[in-house]
Amino acid sequence: NETLLSAAPPLAVLLFTATIPLLFSLPSALLTAELATSFPSSGGQVVWVHSAFGAAAGAHNAYWLWLTNLLDAAVYPQMMMEYLVGQLQLPEESR
């Protein structure tokens, strides 16, 4: 929320913005790299879950991964239009 960020001290916001992505993304990237070299087949995390927990869990993971990616990809065009309408001061009906 921009209101919360503007109320916080600038150094705290900068440190938070710099460290949180590293604390989340670095372990995730290292885990993905390790598993990708351990399982050199295509399929990513679906293959990993299937190997560890069986076919039912692999199928369940594949479905939820597909649904998450579908919904996540659908959000970005709407976010971009909201941003452009605000920045370019377009009329509301252009949304």
Side-chain angles (χ1 to χ4, degrees), residues 64-87:
W64 285 109
L65 183 63
W66 173 80
L67 186 64
T68 301
N69 288 338
L70 178 72
L71 295 176
D72 188 43
V75 168
Y76 293 118
Q78 178 64 28
M79 289 172 57
M80 183 184 71
M81 284 307 298
E82 290 287 329
Y83 176 77
L84 288 176
V85 165
Q87 292 299 313

Side-chain angles (χ1 to χ4, degrees), residues 7-20:
L11 182 60
V13 171
L14 181 64
L15 289 174
F16 183 78
T17 305
T19 58
I20 294 301

